[in-house]
Amino acid sequence: MNIETKLRESLQEIGNEITPPPGLRMNVMTSIHLGKSKTKKRIITGVLAAALLIPTGAFATKSLIADGLYGSFDNLKKHITSATMEGYLRLDAKIAQAQGQIEPAEYKEFIGLVKIMTDAKLEFGDKYGGINYAALTQEKQTELAKVYLEIQPYYDQLNGLESSKELLTEEEYKQYIKSLMVYEEIISKSQINPDHYIETKEIPTDLQGPFEEARAFIDYVNEKQME
């Protein structure tokens, strides 16, 4: 078995074990855990231990799946200064996981949606990768909302959760997607690095109400998915 095959299989196995944060899934595989109340403040580091067994040179000579989205880690770093190689490898592991779990036709649709989201992050995202959707044109907001409505069930599947689209009513599902976008928008407006559990007091006073409302609905959906 060559090193490329070993690398791909290792990443896919790791991807199966990684659960991105339910409250920030719009941020393309972030690392904040917004689960049940007793674990809300826990930060999931998601260290790719198995990757340490692979020679560093392998990453310099073999292309990762994520390179197809960002070009390279260095290119991503130019746009999102808070990006880390660890996070880049987690993203690659998640995509490898998707390749193994999603049917080919659906995977093609999924990766197409991820590409649209990735392009939006690079074009409109702040230094942490978050987007202030209110600053976009109405046309672009509508376009991205449609993408998020379509991609969320794939995220649920990869995270081993019941599909939020099937679990919720049509109106609740739309509100869920809106809440995820509002949550990200407010964090971006607040210029906060989402690498920790964000306390309401960190948010500007005029945005605290909408922030709490969005997070409450996200938590409501998360609770239903974990029942």
Side-chain angles (χ1 to χ4, degrees), residues 15-29:
N16 290 328
E17 300 173 357
I18 297 173
T19 302
L24 290 178
R25 290 175 192 145
M26 291 304 153
N27 209 11
V28 191
M29 320 305 182

Side-chain angles (χ1 to χ4, degrees), residues 2-73:
N2 60 36
I3 185 64
E4 183 173 8
T5 300
K6 290 181 180 178
L7 172 61
R8 189 67 60 219
E9 290 184 356
S10 294
L11 289 173
Q12 184 170 326
E13 289 174 3
I14 295 163
N16 290 328
E17 300 173 357
I18 297 173
T19 302
L24 290 178
R25 290 175 192 145
M26 291 304 153
N27 209 11
V28 191
M29 320 305 182
T30 55
S31 58
I32 311 302
H33 184 71
L34 292 178
K36 295 188 177 182
S37 58
K38 65 180 180 180
T39 58
K40 282 184 181 179
K41 296 186 180 181
R42 180 185 173 200
I43 299 175
I44 303 301
T45 58
V47 177
L48 298 180
L52 299 178
L53 302 177
I54 301 173
T56 304
F59 295 104
T61 59
K62 300 297 182 182
S63 295
L64 299 176
I65 306 175
D67 291 344
L69 298 173
Y70 293 101
S72 67
F73 172 71

Side-chain angles (χ1 to χ4, degrees), residues 46-112:
V47 177
L48 298 180
L52 299 178
L53 302 177
I54 301 173
T56 304
F59 295 104
T61 59
K62 300 297 182 182
S63 295
L64 299 176
I65 306 175
D67 291 344
L69 298 173
Y70 293 101
S72 67
F73 172 71
D74 289 339
N75 183 55
L76 172 64
K77 190 72 174 179
K78 292 177 183 178
H79 296 271
I80 303 176
T81 59
S82 63
T84 64
M85 178 57 77
E86 178 189 331
Y88 196 67
L89 293 177
R90 283 205 306 270
L91 171 61
D92 196 77
K94 266 300 179 185
I95 299 174
Q97 177 193 353
Q99 277 189 321
Q101 289 187 0
I102 300 176
E103 293 297 323
E106 292 184 330
Y107 175 77
K108 183 177 180 180
E109 178 184 20
F110 168 72
I111 207 65

Side-chain angles (χ1 to χ4, degrees), residues 106-136:
E106 292 184 330
Y107 175 77
K108 183 177 180 180
E109 178 184 20
F110 168 72
I111 207 65
L113 294 170
V114 171
K115 185 65 167 66
I116 294 174
M117 292 177 62
T118 297
D119 289 345
K121 296 292 180 181
L122 295 180
E123 183 175 358
F124 306 113
D126 59 25
K127 63 182 179 180
Y128 304 120
I131 296 177
N132 175 6
Y133 298 100
L136 306 183

Side-chain angles (χ1 to χ4, degrees), residues 210-222:
F211 177 78
E212 282 294 311
E213 183 178 348
R215 180 148 65 186
F217 197 80
I218 292 169
D219 286 344
Y220 160 72
V221 176
N222 293 340

